[in-house]
């Protein structure tokens, strides 16, 4: 109680007008958003000066070549052959393995590239194409997708989220926009490493915003689009499903509501998949491309359960793919079950955001074939919750960044990694940013000494990884240590967030009691 | 209770000002780091060559070496600075400082090393900014920091194009801060040091001389002469420590020749937007008209940029311009400011006077680089927040001079970056100035209102007029002029290549020069007027 009053007085001494950022904020949300968005776009352009994954590394190159190759395939072949192995389409060389919406996006971008620089997307001859103009154009396609999909989605989310009367502080709003738009992991992966996560994540943000504002049908359509751009968006499916189901059950005609949603979802899917629905075989062809089980339970070093425990238990050697699939599937479901139950029982806006975080974390930790880049998915809801859970957000982001560090080193993105990391910490410590009192038990549980020790340890690991050669017997020793450290922190975050989500019920009850008393 | 809060707040403010300043600096440092792989001009190789020659040659050959075309043409202190850096360069990668093998060396190591030296040397800018703004109120401070530390011009010139302007301007700012605080001796000393780093800053020397003479040395014969002696010996000591070794070696003539290469032309390769642009255009126009009328005008043999080749003049009709003409023009333009400094040497005015001096040097000087506009745009930022008129003028000036730097970065990769930097600068400046002045107007209006509440006859008309006068708004002509910049840019980037292809490639650049020169001329006249009008 004493804490609470203290918090109130500190917030009142900092009135909006005397704030450092008053002058950016005083013109209203549009100007604030424009300023921050311009800055975020500038940062994206700056990061895109650096090399991309697979830069000058024949014969297979990297994600950049994959995306370029898809553009080459989609603009030169008829739509039915995109996912089919043939004389013109060698699926073993970066064959399309994302859902149709990615293919359509590749087609649009391919047309754009062909207009300005035809050699970069010509069939066969363009394999491994690398040129100054080609790089610029490819970078432009990502930045434009980001600005056209992710940025408006964030604006939509912010408008919805801050529409509630209790959150009218301009500083919080600006700060939250900055955190969403300057997410260092997203920028590094999309504009450094080269991918189009901004599109699927943008659709997800928009879907969340739509559902928060009560437009469940629009939200479902948007979420289906996200799913159809990257199947990884499935990480959020339990949360969307349980929240919408919970909401429907509380309405007058639950069956009607559920069938309405089902119809919308099926319709969206049918529209996106239309070119492949002419025969079962062609449909299954595409599906087979999307689920690459043959690639093993994990690749490289990922801070998830399978990779972290593989030091002790050699999963890949002990089990065949079949049982492993089942095992990972059941573990995933079990771990996101509590949050689903909570949302079905008492769906709420805040609970929905926690649910998104918990289900995506469950998928990241336990599901099959997870990349280190998949950490972007749980990071998104964590960023949306940044105002409620400042500590968890900060902690999570730091270790998410760290878990991508080996990848960044491979891609030659060390300088932007550190620059964006420092920029992120600076944004978090913006002067005159009134600190929200940490009310998370997780924060106090860790204790300040432990927290500092862990941070110090991770800093040392950064330096060691950069400067020292690992012992010959264990060439991946440092990666393994990094992944285990990150994994342990992710587990703590997962536990903390799951408990927080369940605590929401309690708070509601307390509020009700208080209201009754009044 | 209220008083207690206030004092707490004041303590809090003063302690957090430094942190906030560091925050500003660190944010822009992140951007500088991200700019590492961007385009770099030949200036990068120039500085690398200087590292190499100061490291591998004895002092006696520094100003004679011609291994690379980029010979040393900065004063000795800068050479010593490069020698200091070369120690670390040698540790990082010995090839950087190798005179022959290092030529056009462009590995990541050398790029990162040299870029980092620019970032670190910017600490002098940070210190200068801190010294100059520590007496301002917190809101003005933040405005000035935004204008200077986040200056897009410094980012473009220093961290993309590659130079050490932030470092040098930082020294100038430190000198100005000493003068403003009344520590004239230190101010003069730091300025002398600056001159030994880069002699182009000497344009402001007359103002310094007059100001220091009147403000520091004047008053009584004994006191005056002793002070003159102290100041003189200090300056001589600085110059001796810089040029002494070369004087001792008997190379002073060679050094001077390297420092003042009048063999270069009136204009730089890309015409800096100054007075001479109009002169050249007038000459071309007259020649064209006279030829139409029937006079036999021969096309000039020499060009403006190549220099004084033989006796031929680059002009067809108008008289030829020599370095001494430009020198006299600069002095003439400076004279009102010198007169003011003589009559009433006020420390509060020194920043304006120095900026004005660099503006004159930019407009009328010989072989001026477009980058030299930094020398007055950065110092002017410190007085930009004083009145709405200052803000209005600075708003226009900084946009125009930043835009005039655009041709420096001509590659596709940097195009969005320079545009975004300017846009951000524009929007930050706009919100900053409007917040600064609309608020002031509000508080003034409310105080007026409260005083007028007493006597019931206060007219509301004067109140609204008061508010109107104090708000930040730019006039119609200024808005049209700024909109014209967009037109010029669209013409140069899109319409010109579309209509003419590769023909007349110089036309867009010329257009930028002429158009920006208008803005800079306006700024010069505005500064001149404000200096003459000041008491």
């Amino acid at each position: 109680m004493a804490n609470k009053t203290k918090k109130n007085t500190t917030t009142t001494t900092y009135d909006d007008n005397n704030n450092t950022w008053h002058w950016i904020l005083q013109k209203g949300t549009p100007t604030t958003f424009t300023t921050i968005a311009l800055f975020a776009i500038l940062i994206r352009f700056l990061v895109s000066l650096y090399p991309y994954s697979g830069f000058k590394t024949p014969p297979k190159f990297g994600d950049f070549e994959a995306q370029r190759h898809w553009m080459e395939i989609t603009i030169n072949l008829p739509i039915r052959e995109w996912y089919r192995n043939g004389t013109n389409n060698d699926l073993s060389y970066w064959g399309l393995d994302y859902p149709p919406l990615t293919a359509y996006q590749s087609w649009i971008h391919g047309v754009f590239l062909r207009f300005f620089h035809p050699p970069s997307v010509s069939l066969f001859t363009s394999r491994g194409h690398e040129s100054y103009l080609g790089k610029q154009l490819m970078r432009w396609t990502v930045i434009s997708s980001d600005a056209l999909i992710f940025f408006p989605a964030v604006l939509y989310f912010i408008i919805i989220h801050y529409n509630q009367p209790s959150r009218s502080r301009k500083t919080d709003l600006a700060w939250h926009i900055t955190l969403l738009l300057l997410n260092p992991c997203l920028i590094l992966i999309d504009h450094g490493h080269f991918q189009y996560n901004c599109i699927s994540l943008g659709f997800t943000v928009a879907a969340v915003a739509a559902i928060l504002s009560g437009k469940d049908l629009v939200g479902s359509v948007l979420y289906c689009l996200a799913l159809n751009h990257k199947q990884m968006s499935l990480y959020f499916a339990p949360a969307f499903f349980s929240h919408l189901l919970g909401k429907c059950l509380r309405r007058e005609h639950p069956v009607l509501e559920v069938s309405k949603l089902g119809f919308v979802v099926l319709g969206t899917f049918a529209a996106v998949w239309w070119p492949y629905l002419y025969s079962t075989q062609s449909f299954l062809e595409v599906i087979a491309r999307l689920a690459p089980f043959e690639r093993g339970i994990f690749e490289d070093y990922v801070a998830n359960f399978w990779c972290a425990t593989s030091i002790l238990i050699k999963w890949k050697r002990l089990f065949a793919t079949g049982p492993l699939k089942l095992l990972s599937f059941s573990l995933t479901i079990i771990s996101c079950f509590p949050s689903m139950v909570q949302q079905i029982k008492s769906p709420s806006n805040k609970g929905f955001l926690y649910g998104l975080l918990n289900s995506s974390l469950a998928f990241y930790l336990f599901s099959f074939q997870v990349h280190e880049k998949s950490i972007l998915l749980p990071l998104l809801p964590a960023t949306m919750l940044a105002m409620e859970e400042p500590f968890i957000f900060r902690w999570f982001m730091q270790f998410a960044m760290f878990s991508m560090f080996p990848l960044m080193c491979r891609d030659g993105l060390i300088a932007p990694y550190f620059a964006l990391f420092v920029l992120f910490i600076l944004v978090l410590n913006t002067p005159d940013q009134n600190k929200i009192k940490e009310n998370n038990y997780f924060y106090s549980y860790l204790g300040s000494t432990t927290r500092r020790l862990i941070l110090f340890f991770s800093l040392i690991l950064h330096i060691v990884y950069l400067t020292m050669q690992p012992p010959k017997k264990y060439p991946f020793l440092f990666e393994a240590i990094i992944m285990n450290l990150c994994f342990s922190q992710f587990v703590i975050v997962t536990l903390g967030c799951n408990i927080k989500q369940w605590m929401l019920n309690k708070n509601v009850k307390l509020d009700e009691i208080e209201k009754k008393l009044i | 209770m209220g008083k207690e809060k206030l004092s707490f707040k004041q303590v809090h403010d003063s302690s957090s000002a430094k942190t906030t300043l560091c925050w500003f600096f660190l944010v822009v440092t992140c951007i500088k780091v991200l700019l590492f792989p961007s385009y770099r001009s030949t200036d990068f190789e120039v500085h690398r060559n200087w590292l190499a020659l100061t490291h591998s040659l004895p002092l006696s050959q520094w100003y004679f070496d011609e291994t690379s075309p980029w010979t040393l043409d900065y004063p000795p202190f800068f050479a010593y600075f490069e020698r200091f850096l070369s120690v670390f360069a040698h540790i990082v990668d010995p090839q950087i400082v190798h005179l022959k093998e290092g030529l056009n060396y462009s590995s990541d190591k050398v790029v990162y090393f040299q870029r980092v030296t620019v970032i670190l040397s910017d600490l002098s800018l940070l210190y200068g900014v801190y010294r100059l703004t520590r007496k301002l109120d917190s809101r003005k401070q933040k405005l000035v920091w935004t204008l200077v530390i986040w200056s897009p011009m410094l980012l473009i010139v220093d961290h993309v194009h590659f130079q050490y302007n932030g470092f040098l301007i930082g020294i100038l700012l430190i000198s100005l801060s000493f003068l403003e605080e009344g520590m004239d001796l230190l101010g003069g000393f730091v300025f002398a040091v600056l001159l030994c780093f880069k002699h182009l800053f000497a344009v402001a020397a007359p103002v310094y001389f007059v100001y220091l003479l009147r403000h520091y040395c004047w008053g009584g014969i004994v006191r005056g002469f002793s002070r003159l002696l102290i100041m003189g010996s200090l300056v001589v000591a600085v110059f001796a420590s810089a040029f002494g070794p070369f004087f001792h070696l008997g190379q002073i003539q060679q050094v001077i020749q390297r420092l003042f290469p009048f063999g270069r032309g009136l204009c730089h390769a890309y015409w800096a937007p100054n007075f001479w642009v109009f002169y050249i255009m007038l000459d071309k126009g007259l020649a064209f008209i006279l030829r139409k009328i029937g006079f036999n005008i021969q096309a000039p043999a020499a060009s403006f940029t190549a220099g004084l080749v033989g006796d031929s003049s680059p002009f067809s009709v108008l008289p030829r311009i020599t370095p001494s003409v430009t020198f006299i023009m600069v002095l003439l333009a400076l004279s009102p400011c010198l007169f003011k400094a003589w009559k009433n040497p006020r420390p509060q005015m020194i920043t304006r006077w120095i900026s004005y001096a660099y503006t004159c040097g930019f407009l009328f000087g010989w072989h001026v680089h477009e980058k030299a506009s930094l020398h007055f745009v950065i110092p002017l930022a410190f007085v930009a927040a004083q009145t709405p008129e200052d803000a209005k003028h600075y708003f226009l000036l900084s946009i125009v001079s930043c835009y005039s730097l655009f041709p420096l970065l001509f590659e596709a990769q940097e195009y969005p970056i320079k545009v975004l930097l300017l846009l951000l600068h524009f929007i930050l400046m706009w919100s900053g100035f409007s917040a600064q002045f609309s608020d002031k107007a509000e508080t003034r209006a409310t105080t007026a209102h409260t005083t007028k509440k007493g006597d019931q006859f206060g007219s509301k008309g004067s109140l609204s007029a008061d508010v109107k006068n104090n708000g930040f708004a730019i006039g119609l002509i200024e808005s049209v002029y700024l909109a014209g910049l967009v037109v010029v840019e669209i013409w140069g980037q899109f319409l010109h290549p579309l209509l003419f292809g590769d023909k007349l490639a110089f036309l867009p650049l010329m257009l930028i020069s002429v158009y920006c020169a208008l803005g800079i001329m306006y700024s010069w006249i505005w500064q001149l007027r404000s200096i003459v009008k000041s008491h």
Side-chain angles (χ1 to χ4, degrees):
Chain A
M1 193 62 203
N3 261 339
K4 218 172 184 179
T5 49
K6 203 174 175 188
K7 184 184 160 191
N8 282 340
T9 50
T10 44
T11 45
T12 45
T13 49
Y14 280 106
D15 60 315
D16 261 0
N17 279 335
N18 264 326
N19 191 282
T20 316
W21 305 109
H22 156 69
W23 49 282
I24 296 183
L25 307 172
Q26 54 118 18
K27 292 221 170 211
T29 316
T31 319
T32 313
F33 184 80
T34 320
T35 315
I36 297 168
L38 281 177
F39 183 70
I41 295 177
L42 173 71
I43 295 290
R44 281 159 168 76
F45 270 111
L46 292 175
V47 172
S48 66
L49 294 173
Y50 280 84
Y52 39 81
S53 83
F55 181 65
K56 285 187 181 156
T57 50
K60 279 223 67 169
F61 302 94
D63 277 355
F64 179 85
E65 170 64 9
Q67 299 284 354
R68 197 208 53 71
H69 179 67
W70 296 348
M71 294 177 197
E72 170 198 334
I73 292 297
T74 47
I75 61 165
N76 287 302
L77 298 182
I79 197 163
R80 288 182 180 184
E81 289 177 30
W82 288 354
Y83 288 90
R84 188 179 294 156
N85 209 4
T87 46
N88 290 332
N89 188 6
D90 175 14
L91 284 183
S92 65
Y93 183 83
W94 296 119
L96 252 173
D97 52 6
Y98 280 134
L101 204 58
T102 295
Y104 304 149
Q105 163 245 318
S106 293
W107 180 79
I108 294 171
H109 288 153
V111 170
F112 170 76
L113 252 75
R114 187 165 58 186
F115 181 77
F116 287 102
H117 191 47
S120 65
V121 281
S122 59
L123 196 59
F124 295 127
T125 53
S126 67
R127 278 204 186 172
H129 177 93
E130 287 189 312
S131 65
Y132 181 82
L133 187 60
K135 179 188 170 189
Q136 299 314 313
L137 290 171
M138 289 287 280
R139 294 292 201 192
W140 273 80
T141 61
V142 194
I143 293 171
S144 58
S145 328
D146 215 344
L148 290 176
I149 296 173
F150 191 72
F151 281 52
V154 165
L155 182 62
Y156 180 33
F157 171 75
I158 288 291
I159 290 172
I160 298 296
H161 196 57
Y162 285 86
N163 210 10
Q164 295 146 16
S166 62
R167 323 164 202 266
S168 54
R169 287 185 48 85
K170 284 176 180 173
T171 345
D172 285 358
L173 183 136
W175 199 54
H176 209 165
I177 298 175
T178 318
L179 293 177
L180 279 162
L181 293 185
L182 277 182
N183 180 342
C185 296
L186 180 62
I187 297 177
L188 282 173
I189 292 295
D190 274 11
H191 305 277
H193 178 86
F194 205 92
Q195 280 194 347
Y196 291 90
N197 293 301
C198 51
I199 299 180
S200 62
L201 292 181
F203 281 132
T204 312
V205 174
V208 171
I211 289 176
L212 289 183
S213 67
K215 294 181 186 123
D216 293 352
L217 293 178
V218 180
S220 318
V221 171
L222 286 167
Y223 178 61
C224 290
L225 291 179
L227 259 180
N228 276 309
H229 189 265
K230 278 201 154 191
Q231 63 270 45
M232 256 85 87
S233 307
L234 206 63
Y235 286 19
F236 297 124
F240 275 96
F241 172 75
S242 56
H243 179 74
L244 290 178
L245 183 67
K247 259 181 166 175
C248 288
L249 291 180
R250 293 170 161 242
R251 292 203 181 121
E252 221 171 304
H253 308 287
V255 183
L256 182 71
E257 297 285 340
V258 171
S259 54
K260 244 162 75 184
L261 282 174
F263 183 72
V264 162
V265 168
L266 280 179
T268 317
F269 265 87
V272 175
W273 286 69
W274 188 249
Y276 303 99
L277 294 180
Y278 62 96
S279 76
T280 342
Q281 197 225 337
S282 75
F283 174 72
L284 289 177
E285 238 172 36
V286 183
I287 289 285
R289 292 291 311 158
L290 302 186
F293 285 115
E294 74 280 2
R295 283 165 78 175
I297 188 146
F298 61 87
E299 254 181 274
D300 297 331
Y301 276 84
V302 191
N304 73 353
F305 174 74
W306 305 109
C307 182
T309 51
S310 69
I311 296 171
L312 303 171
I313 311 162
K314 301 287 170 209
W315 299 104
K316 281 184 184 173
R317 247 182 274 158
L318 283 174
F319 295 94
T321 310
L324 263 187
K325 262 195 255 181
L326 198 69
L327 194 61
S328 79
F329 179 72
S330 39
L331 268 179
T332 314
I333 292 300
I334 291 169
S335 54
C336 64
F337 195 66
S339 104
M340 284 177 76
V341 170
Q342 193 274 341
Q343 274 306 288
I344 295 173
K345 258 179 72 185
S346 55
S348 66
N349 281 350
K350 217 173 176 185
F352 177 47
L353 292 179
Y354 277 102
L356 286 168
L357 177 57
N358 288 327
S359 72
S360 51
L361 265 171
F363 270 76
Y364 178 81
L365 291 177
F366 298 109
S367 74
F368 203 86
Q369 242 286 317
V370 174
H371 287 262
E372 60 271 66
K373 293 152 234 160
S374 309
I375 196 65
L376 289 176
L377 292 139
L379 259 183
L380 185 74
T383 321
M384 294 190 204
L385 279 167
M387 300 316 292
E388 280 83 10
E389 294 290 346
F391 175 71
I392 284 197
F393 165 67
R394 197 170 70 211
W395 198 250
F396 187 32
M397 180 70 91
Q398 278 164 1
F399 286 95
M401 275 295 268
F402 193 24
S403 75
M404 296 192 330
F405 185 53
L407 177 73
M408 294 296 112
C409 288
R410 255 179 285 147
D411 289 345
L413 294 168
I414 302 172
Y417 171 86
F418 284 110
L420 286 186
F421 211 148
V422 172
L423 192 65
F424 170 72
I425 292 169
L426 287 171
V427 169
L428 281 182
N429 296 306
T430 310
D432 281 12
Q433 164 69 41
N434 48 313
K435 296 271 183 296
I436 303 143
K437 193 89 183 126
E438 301 291 348
N439 50 358
N440 199 314
Y441 79 98
F442 168 55
Y443 177 78
S444 44
Y445 170 75
L446 267 172
S448 64
T449 340
T450 329
R451 265 179 304 159
R452 281 198 197 121
L453 269 178
I454 294 175
L455 285 182
F456 182 69
F457 182 56
S458 68
L459 183 70
I460 296 289
L461 264 179
H462 274 111
I463 297 164
V464 166
Y465 188 79
L466 278 181
T467 53
M468 279 170 60
Q469 286 289 327
K472 280 207 178 106
K473 211 175 158 196
Y474 307 104
F476 296 109
L477 176 71
F478 297 148
E479 277 94 342
I481 297 177
I482 293 175
M483 290 317 150
N484 273 289
L485 175 69
C486 293
F487 171 68
S488 62
Q489 300 313 313
F490 293 161
V491 169
I492 295 178
V493 169
T494 313
L495 288 176
C497 290
N498 268 300
I499 296 168
K500 276 292 277 212
Q501 191 183 346
W502 272 91
M503 300 266 273
L504 288 176
N505 287 0
K506 225 180 183 177
N507 286 344
V508 171
K509 273 176 202 158
L510 278 176
D511 279 355
E512 276 169 13
I513 293 165
E514 259 177 45
K515 265 180 200 165
K516 270 177 198 166
L517 283 175
I518 292 162
Chain B
M1 175 82 186
K3 230 180 186 177
E4 235 179 72
K5 249 185 200 168
L6 201 77
S7 64
F8 164 74
K9 195 142 194 200
Q10 275 166 350
V11 171
H12 178 73
D13 275 357
S14 63
S15 68
S16 72
K18 275 184 202 167
T19 332
T20 313
L21 180 60
C22 286
W23 186 87
F24 270 78
F25 186 74
L26 283 173
V27 166
V28 81
T29 304
C30 292
I31 292 175
K32 292 169 185 172
V33 169
L34 289 174
L35 278 169
F36 278 172
S38 60
Y39 157 84
R40 50 188 190 276
S41 71
T42 48
D43 276 347
F44 181 82
E45 171 61 13
V46 171
H47 287 278
R48 195 217 48 79
N49 182 48
W50 293 355
L51 283 176
L53 76 89
T54 51
H55 189 82
S56 36
L57 292 177
L59 190 86
S60 58
Q61 288 176 38
W62 284 5
Y63 283 94
F64 283 94
D65 179 71
E66 281 177 354
T67 322
S68 152
W70 314 116
T71 53
L72 183 59
D73 58 6
Y74 270 30
F77 271 180
F78 203 85
Y80 301 154
F81 175 63
E82 294 277 5
R83 176 74 185 86
F84 168 72
L85 292 180
S86 71
V87 175
F88 303 100
H90 184 76
I91 297 169
V92 171
D93 183 358
Q95 203 187 334
I96 299 174
V97 290
H98 198 285
L99 201 56
K100 289 216 174 68
E101 278 172 27
L103 284 180
N104 294 312
Y105 186 43
S106 59
S107 74
D108 270 0
K109 265 188 189 166
V110 64
V111 174
Y112 279 38
F113 173 76
Q114 293 217 67
R115 296 261 195 215
V116 167
T117 60
V118 182
I119 293 178
L120 289 181
S121 66
D122 274 352
L123 286 173
S124 89
L125 180 78
L126 181 69
Y127 183 63
V129 170
Y130 164 69
R131 284 197 58 97
L132 264 178
T133 53
R134 58 181 169 176
K135 298 273 163 59
L136 293 179
D137 68 77
S138 113
R139 200 179 280 182
K140 263 188 198 160
Q141 269 180 344
K142 270 140 210 160
L143 196 55
V144 173
W145 296 342
T146 316
L147 298 180
V148 177
I149 298 204
W150 290 354
S151 161
M153 296 175 71
L154 280 175
L155 281 173
I156 288 175
V157 176
D158 281 7
H159 301 276
V160 183
H161 177 87
F162 199 85
Q163 274 190 351
Y164 289 91
N165 288 296
F167 170 60
L168 298 167
I169 291 174
I171 301 177
L172 176 71
L173 296 183
I174 294 170
S175 164
L176 287 178
S177 74
F178 281 127
L179 292 189
E180 276 197 359
E181 286 164 24
M183 291 184 265
D184 291 345
L185 197 61
L186 269 174
F189 168 74
V190 175
F191 185 66
V193 171
L194 175 67
L195 290 188
C196 293
F197 269 106
K198 194 173 179 178
H199 50 301
L200 289 179
F201 282 94
V203 182
V207 182
Y208 262 92
F209 179 74
V210 171
Y211 175 79
L212 288 177
L213 192 68
R214 281 284 289 165
H215 192 255
Y216 180 67
C217 306
W218 215 253
I221 292 178
V222 180
R223 184 169 163 267
F225 267 100
S226 60
R227 284 198 158 187
L228 191 65
L229 209 65
I230 296 171
M231 179 65 88
S233 50
L234 200 63
V235 171
V236 167
V238 170
F239 275 84
S241 64
F243 291 91
F246 301 96
F247 192 74
H248 178 71
L249 290 164
Q251 296 176 348
I252 209 72
Q253 203 169 359
Q254 168 72 10
V255 175
I256 299 290
Q257 256 175 27
R258 280 280 176 87
L259 294 190
F260 298 99
F262 281 115
R264 295 186 191 170
L266 176 63
C267 292
H268 188 55
Y270 153 66
W271 305 347
N274 63 7
F275 174 76
W276 302 118
V277 168
F278 296 123
Y279 193 78
I280 294 168
M281 295 304 291
L282 184 66
D283 180 66
K284 297 256 178 211
L286 279 178
F288 181 76
I289 292 165
L290 289 177
R291 250 182 240 131
K292 280 267 154 152
I293 294 170
F295 286 92
N296 180 23
I297 307 282
Q298 285 185 343
S303 89
F304 314 105
T305 51
L308 309 161
V309 189
D311 285 328
S312 60
S313 159
F315 298 101
S316 1
V317 187
L318 293 175
R320 182 178 156 187
I321 303 296
T322 58
S324 49
V325 173
T326 61
F327 184 71
I328 293 167
M329 294 265 304
V330 172
L331 269 187
L332 269 179
L334 264 181
S335 53
C337 164
L338 295 178
F339 177 72
K340 279 279 173 188
W342 180 266
K343 245 182 83 181
N344 184 12
R346 278 197 305 154
Q348 301 94 301
M349 285 299 285
I350 190 69
T351 309
R352 286 172 194 271
W353 290 334
I354 299 296
S355 314
Y356 175 72
Y358 287 126
T359 317
C360 296
F362 182 82
L363 273 181
F364 304 107
W366 180 263
H367 195 84
V368 172
H369 285 233
E370 62 280 19
K371 294 151 243 168
S373 55
L374 275 170
H375 297 177
F376 55 93
V377 176
I378 299 293
L380 274 176
F382 292 89
V383 291
Q386 284 180 357
T387 66
E389 277 69 43
D390 285 321
K392 217 156 88 180
H393 160 250
Y394 187 78
F395 185 75
L396 190 84
L397 172 68
S398 83
I399 288 174
V400 171
S401 45
C402 181
Y403 178 69
S404 76
L405 297 177
F406 270 24
L408 279 180
L409 317 181
F410 50 86
E411 287 189 13
Q413 188 176 242
E414 283 76 23
Y415 187 76
I417 294 175
K418 63 183 180 186
V419 172
L420 281 168
L421 280 174
L422 181 56
L423 273 180
L424 264 174
H425 184 60
F426 169 84
I427 201 164
L428 285 176
M429 208 158 43
W430 177 260
S431 359
F433 282 142
S434 1
Q436 178 74 23
F437 296 112
S438 71
D439 261 41
K440 233 179 208 169
E442 256 169 51
T443 47
R444 243 180 240 179
T446 46
T447 48
H449 199 72
T450 43
T451 50
K452 271 171 191 169
K453 251 185 184 172
D455 59 335
Q456 299 282 316
F457 308 104
S459 65
K460 272 199 169 164
S462 68
L463 195 92
S464 62
D466 195 40
V467 173
K468 219 178 182 179
N469 276 336
N470 283 298
F472 176 75
I474 54 168
L476 182 67
I477 299 171
E478 284 91 341
S479 322
V480 170
Y481 177 78
L482 288 180
L485 283 180
V486 180
V487 176
V488 168
E489 181 60 16
I490 290 173
W491 167 264
Q493 287 298 325
F494 306 105
L495 297 181
H496 187 86
L498 214 65
L499 295 177
F500 294 98
D502 289 336
K503 278 183 280 175
L504 299 171
F506 64 92
L507 198 67
L509 286 184
M510 208 168 76
L511 199 63
I512 295 177
S513 274
V514 173
Y515 199 76
C516 292
L518 282 173
I520 308 261
M521 284 295 272
Y522 162 82
S523 158
W524 174 66
I525 294 168
W526 187 91
Q527 288 184 55
L528 180 65
R529 241 190 61 206
S530 81
I531 284 174
V532 170
K533 273 168 114 185
S534 69
H535 305 293

